[in-house]
Amino acid sequence: MLKKLLILVLLLLSSPFIAALFIEEDYRVDTQIVIDRPADQVFDFLRKLKNQDQFSVWAKMDTAMEKSYRGEDGTVGFVSSWRSDNPDVGAGEQEIMAIFPGKRIEYELRFKTPFEAVSPAYITTQALGPNQTEVHWGFSGHMAYPMNILLPLMQVDAMVERDLSQGLSNLKTLLESK
């Protein structure tokens, strides 16, 4: 009886670790929206990393967060850093890694607190007509074993997708009101 109880306890304790073996460690999110503005205007606005403060959900979570910048905004190598006492914001930095004029901007997000992670992100633009632009905002993340068990439990990809979609909706409102 004691042996069976011990086996049951061990199985219960080890089950999350066993489950994590079968869960992906990587996730990807891609959201999109159509903005009624010419593609060159949309791209020129998006290439400036500081402009994300006007539409990103994350930038609005703590309006008192400390920010610092290195380099020339809108160019490869520009870094925007943040630090907040709000645990949902934490500290980190975002760097422009590549710019494909009129098409795509690639970023690297480096989270420092409340957890450490490096995640690539991108924004693309595509003209649908003279005054319409499709914008995609994407993000990739990685949670190593055994923390990857949190991906489905916390629905991390759904949370990121919600925030990116809201950010694009904010961007659409902002640019179409100009």
Side-chain angles (χ1 to χ4, degrees), residues 10-59:
L10 286 174
L11 281 173
L12 288 174
L13 291 175
S14 65
S15 63
F17 296 101
I18 294 169
L21 290 170
F22 301 98
I23 295 174
E24 291 286 330
E25 294 182 353
D26 299 312
Y27 64 95
R28 287 172 182 43
V29 174
D30 181 272
T31 59
Q32 69 273 342
I33 200 164
V34 174
I35 297 175
D36 293 329
R37 280 283 184 245
D40 59 335
Q41 289 179 12
V42 174
F43 189 85
D44 287 345
F45 182 83
L46 290 171
R47 88 179 285 142
K48 303 268 187 191
L49 196 50
K50 289 180 184 179
N51 286 340
Q52 284 188 10
D53 290 347
Q54 299 177 53
F55 64 90
S56 169
V57 171
W58 301 309

Side-chain angles (χ1 to χ4, degrees), residues 41-88:
Q41 289 179 12
V42 174
F43 189 85
D44 287 345
F45 182 83
L46 290 171
R47 88 179 285 142
K48 303 268 187 191
L49 196 50
K50 289 180 184 179
N51 286 340
Q52 284 188 10
D53 290 347
Q54 299 177 53
F55 64 90
S56 169
V57 171
W58 301 309
K60 296 176 185 286
M61 288 177 129
D62 179 4
T63 56
M65 79 175 86
E66 297 173 33
K67 293 194 175 188
S68 62
Y69 307 99
R70 293 189 316 266
E72 182 183 337
D73 197 1
T75 64
V76 172
F78 178 76
V79 177
S80 171
S81 300
W82 72 90
R83 177 170 302 287
S84 170
D85 292 329
N86 180 334
D88 292 333

Side-chain angles (χ1 to χ4, degrees), residues 4 7 16 20-21 23 29 32 38-39 44-45 77 79-80 84 93-94 102 107 109-110 117 144 147 156 165 173-174:
K4 288 181 182 180
I7 290 172
L21 290 170
I23 295 174
V29 174
Q32 69 273 342
D44 287 345
F45 182 83
V79 177
S80 171
S84 170
E93 61 186 20
Q94 182 174 202
Y107 309 96
L109 288 117
R110 297 183 284 264
M147 296 306 292
V156 173
S165 292
T173 299
L174 176 69

